[in-house]
């Protein structure tokens, strides 16, 4: 039990740090990087804003996952993880991953059809497969949570 509480506390610290770093990326680093790239390669300057919007959107999806994870940790701490309240936060994670995946597939297809080098499409393919695995894993975990919640509810009804 002590280990669980320490793990939850440590995870919360790292979630706050990760969220803060993502805000810096979202507001400063990514827009600045794409502005610099537009200056260095004027022929690709038209990609500055689409690239900025897409990457900021992906960061936003990760931030949704962080907030939902924080809320799930609150439910773990109060021993309410196996309740219907937890399912909405898991749904938020699944939908954030799905939204990021849809945009990633769009980027993968656009880059794949316009690339003259196989490096970027292969990297995007790898990312697409990874996000697909993560999304499907979350769907399975959601099903397990639903089953555990139903079992706990049944057990409480018997007792």
């Amino acid at each position: 039990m002590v280990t669980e509480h320490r793990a939850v506390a440590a995870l919360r610290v790292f979630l706050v740090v990760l969220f803060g770093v993502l805000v810096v990326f979202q507001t400063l680093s990514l827009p600045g990087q794409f502005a610099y790239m537009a200056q260095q390669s004027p022929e690709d300057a038209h990609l500055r804003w689409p690239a900025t919007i897409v990457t900021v959107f992906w960061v936003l999806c990760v931030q949704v996952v962080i907030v939902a994870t924080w809320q799930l940790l609150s439910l773990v701490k109060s021993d309410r993880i196996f309740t219907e309240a937890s399912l909405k936060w898991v749904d938020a994670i699944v939908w954030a991953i799905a939204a990021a995946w849809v945009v990633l597939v769009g980027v993968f297809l656009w880059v794949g059809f316009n690339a003259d080098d196989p490096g970027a499409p292969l990297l995007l393919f790898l990312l697409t497969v990874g996000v697909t695995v993560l999304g499907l894993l979350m769907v399975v975990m959601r099903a397990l949570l639903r089953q555990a919640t139903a079992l706990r509810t049944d057990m409480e009804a018997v007792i």
Side-chain angles (χ1 to χ4, degrees):
M1 192 65 130
V2 174
T3 305
E4 179 183 305
H5 289 296
R6 286 185 180 164
V8 168
L11 183 53
R12 283 189 166 182
V13 167
F14 283 103
L15 287 174
V16 168
V17 170
L18 179 59
F19 196 91
V21 169
L22 289 173
V23 168
V24 170
F25 266 83
Q26 210 171 22
T27 57
L28 301 172
S29 184
L30 292 171
Q33 178 63 36
F34 291 120
Y36 176 77
M37 289 171 61
Q39 289 174 345
Q40 296 301 310
S41 302
E43 66 277 0
D44 293 330
H46 66 284
L47 297 174
R48 173 188 179 184
W49 290 110
T52 302
I53 290 166
V54 166
T55 55
V56 166
F57 176 74
W58 284 333
V59 171
L60 178 65
C61 289
V62 174
Q63 289 170 325
V64 168
V65 170
I66 291 169
V67 169
T69 302
W70 184 279
Q71 293 299 324
L72 288 168
L73 289 173
S74 296
L75 292 172
V76 167
K77 191 173 182 180
S78 64
D79 195 31
R80 293 183 28 236
I81 191 65
F82 297 114
T83 63
E84 291 292 323
S86 62
L87 293 173
K88 72 178 182 179
W89 295 110
V90 175
D91 284 342
I93 293 171
V94 170
W95 281 109
I97 293 170
W101 182 86
V102 167
V103 174
L104 180 58
V105 168
V107 170
F108 168 61
L109 292 173
W110 187 85
V111 169
F113 286 119
N114 294 301
D116 53 0
D117 176 17
L122 282 174
L123 179 62
L124 287 169
F125 178 70
L126 175 65
L127 287 171
T128 301
V129 170
V131 173
T132 302
V133 168
L134 182 62
L136 292 173
L137 177 63
M138 286 308 303
V139 169
V140 169
M141 296 301 285
R142 185 188 186 286
L144 291 173
L145 179 62
R146 181 173 289 288
Q147 288 177 357
T149 301
L151 280 173
R152 186 168 188 174
T153 303
D154 291 346
M155 293 296 288
E156 289 173 353
V158 170
I159 297 174

